[in-house]
Amino acid sequence: MLKINLTDDIFYVGVNDRKTELFENHMELPNGVSYNSYLIVDEKVALIDPVEVSFMAEFLFKIKSILGERKIDYLVINHDEPDHSGAVRAIVQEYPEVQVIGNAKTFGPLEAFYGPLNNKKIVAEGETLCLGKHTLQFFMVPMCHWPESMVTYEQTNKILFSNDAFGGFGALNGCIFDDEANLDFYEDDMRRYYANIVGKVAGQAVKAVQKLGPLDIKMIAPSHGLVWRSNLQWVLERYVKWSTGENEEGVVIAYGSMYGNTALMADIIARGVAEAGVKNIKIYDVAKTEVSHIIGDIWKYKGCVIGACAHYGSVFPNMTLLLHELTEFKPKNKVYGVFGGMSWGGGGVKYINGVAEKNQWECPVESVEVKGAPYRDEDVERLYNLGKAIGEAVKNN
Ligand code: FEO
């Protein structure tokens, strides 16, 4: 079996998932995802986070090709979510003497998922575990992504096993380390991952980065995506940027349209945005594009224009998920616009404006509601002006 070394005695034993269509059964994975795991072979053997359970055969094969008949002494659980912890029961069955390492919040959910564990050890903030040459140290990063989330710092080689933090969507296509990969290729999938997985708790992500700042970190080994050994600054800068609401110049227009009239409005608005001088304009039909992609781009750009037709006195159904996610995630430092159609008695624009008010969106221009198709001059002008105002607000950022 091919061995992938982080160091002479620390190995990458993760797997690539290109078969799962939806991460957490709701986010598309057009480029797959990796579940990373790491094996430290010392006087004691430690496995840092297992993988999703359906990859158990491949995972065990990789472990055994390195260990042979040796046993695993410690299984470190940085995070309980089943994309990592899924293989816990199988590992414990294979290595019955393994001690499972977690923190005070780990074992409640873990045993609720997989049943009682006989041999477990609870570690506290900053506690260490000596393997021989290597010493592991544990730090709590609650809500990055779940309450029990922690990271493991390997003191000898100064490697941070960061679990979800600094991870990204996208299977690892041969390139395991950052200096082997075209980072531009991964950036969109990293941002989409960040926005949809960590974005809601961006404040905690920043605190986690700040807390780990004093550590001398030479390598970041997350549980998804590339291992960072050469471009740590690249990933750290992006995490800070995404967490603090630093935007790029651009506008996302997301619409829901039953018969194409609201879609036409989006095109008129986009023309106004373009004539304001904004070059990055993304238009999404919420009935066609899975919402995590839209959220990923909203996170990226300053401007966001939301529009929908009415549906039974309320809003076009597919728009409600995007509005729910915007309410949950609260992306920072945006300018918003609202538009839509009032046929079928109206209600779509009213619904979106209610969300805007609740979330205190910054709207530099009044919402535009159009009856029927946007063919009348006055409607075209109102829509164009909305786009122009949003474009100018983005340019003046
Ligand atoms: Fe990759 Fe929150 O699990």
Side-chain angles (χ1 to χ4, degrees):
M1 186 75 192
L2 191 67
K3 289 181 184 168
I4 299 169
N5 294 69
L6 274 66
T7 69
D8 286 346
D9 47 16
I10 301 180
F11 301 88
Y12 176 88
V13 289
V15 299
N16 283 309
D17 183 354
R18 299 186 183 87
K19 67 183 180 183
T20 299
E21 293 187 19
L22 298 172
F23 190 75
E24 294 180 351
N25 207 24
H26 67 105
M27 287 173 267
E28 281 182 355
L29 290 173
N31 303 311
V33 66
S34 69
Y35 310 117
N36 300 347
S37 174
Y38 304 93
L39 191 64
I40 305 175
V41 183
D42 201 334
E43 290 169 27
K44 298 285 186 182
V45 173
L47 183 64
I48 311 291
D49 288 313
V51 300
E52 200 274 332
V53 68
S54 63
F55 292 86
M56 196 57 211
E58 174 187 339
F59 185 47
L60 261 186
F61 187 74
K62 286 182 175 178
I63 291 169
K64 286 180 180 289
S65 72
I66 293 166
L67 290 184
E69 294 306 309
R70 278 195 74 177
K71 305 297 180 202
I72 297 172
D73 298 288
Y74 302 114
L75 171 60
V76 175
I77 301 294
N78 280 317
H79 180 25
D80 283 342
E81 192 168 6
D83 55 332
H84 311 291
S85 69
V88 163
R89 178 56 60 199
I91 288 287
V92 170
Q93 281 169 353
E94 187 71 24
Y95 299 103
E97 290 163 23
V98 69
Q99 187 167 50
V100 183
I101 309 290
N103 61 65
K105 293 181 180 168
T106 302
F107 291 105
L110 197 69
E111 291 181 310
F113 279 139
Y114 310 111
L117 296 162
N118 296 325
N119 190 7
K120 58 194 178 195
K121 176 181 171 64
I122 293 175
V123 292
E125 171 76 10
E127 190 170 334
T128 58
L129 176 69
C130 184
L131 306 178
K133 281 193 305 179
H134 301 274
T135 297
L136 304 180
Q137 190 171 19
F138 306 98
F139 296 95
M140 309 306 135
V141 289
M143 293 312 295
C144 193
H145 168 213
W146 280 9
E148 84 298 343
S149 292
M150 69 176 189
V151 296
T152 299
Y153 178 61
E154 190 280 317
Q155 293 180 338
T156 310
N157 298 100
K158 307 186 188 314
I159 301 172
L160 181 70
F161 297 102
S162 61
N163 198 268
D164 278 349
F166 307 111
F169 289 135
L172 296 176
N173 299 331
C175 304
I176 305 293
F177 298 96
D178 59 336
D179 47 46
E180 301 170 332
N182 179 350
L183 298 183
D184 294 340
F185 181 79
Y186 280 98
E187 185 168 1
D188 276 353
D189 253 349
M190 272 198 74
R191 187 191 319 97
R192 185 166 68 93
Y193 172 89
Y194 177 89
N196 288 278
I197 305 285
V198 192
K200 187 178 175 185
V201 288
Q204 280 88 337
V206 171
K207 280 184 199 156
V209 171
Q210 288 169 342
K211 175 179 174 175
L212 301 171
L215 295 177
D216 183 11
I217 299 170
K218 301 288 189 211
M219 196 183 299
I220 297 175
S223 291
H224 302 288
L226 294 167
V227 177
W228 301 87
R229 66 181 178 188
S230 299
N231 299 286
L232 274 68
Q233 204 56 33
W234 189 97
V235 69
L236 288 167
E237 278 172 6
R238 274 154 186 78
Y239 249 65
V240 170
K241 176 177 154 180
W242 297 333
S243 302
T244 55
E246 192 184 324
N247 297 299
E248 295 180 28
E249 187 179 293
V251 174
V252 174
I253 303 171
Y255 69 85
S257 182
M258 283 194 290
Y259 291 101
N261 294 314
T262 308
L264 272 177
M265 296 175 209
D267 277 329
I268 297 167
I269 290 168
R271 190 66 200 137
V273 174
E275 291 205 340
V278 176
K279 290 187 167 63
N280 298 308
I281 304 169
K282 295 282 188 80
I283 300 183
Y284 288 112
D285 178 344
V286 296
K288 300 285 191 309
T289 304
E290 186 270 304
V291 74
S292 75
H293 296 280
I294 306 174
I295 289 287
D297 268 345
I298 288 174
W299 218 270
K300 181 176 185 179
Y301 294 120
K302 174 74 178 176
C304 178
V305 185
I306 303 290
C309 58
H311 185 270
Y312 278 118
S314 182
V315 73
F316 182 69
N318 297 52
M319 179 56 77
T320 56
L321 179 56
L322 177 60
L323 293 171
H324 169 79
E325 297 291 63
L326 288 174
T327 301
E328 287 288 304
F329 296 162
K330 295 183 176 47
K332 292 179 188 159
N333 192 25
K334 306 291 175 192
V335 289
Y336 286 93
V338 176
F339 70 102
M342 66 177 296
S343 303
W344 199 358
V349 170
K350 185 180 173 192
Y351 186 100
I352 301 169
N353 277 332
V355 173
E357 193 175 335
K358 179 181 172 190
N359 293 312
Q360 300 179 309
W361 286 357
E362 182 189 338
C363 298
V365 58
E366 263 190 37
S367 60
V368 174
E369 191 169 34
V370 173
K371 193 169 188 178
Y375 294 141
R376 288 170 292 278
D377 287 347
E378 63 268 30
D379 289 334
V380 171
E381 190 179 349
R382 287 194 302 147
L383 291 162
Y384 175 89
N385 286 342
L386 186 152
K388 193 87 182 288
I390 295 291
E392 285 168 354
V394 166
K395 290 294 288 184
N396 293 332
N397 183 27

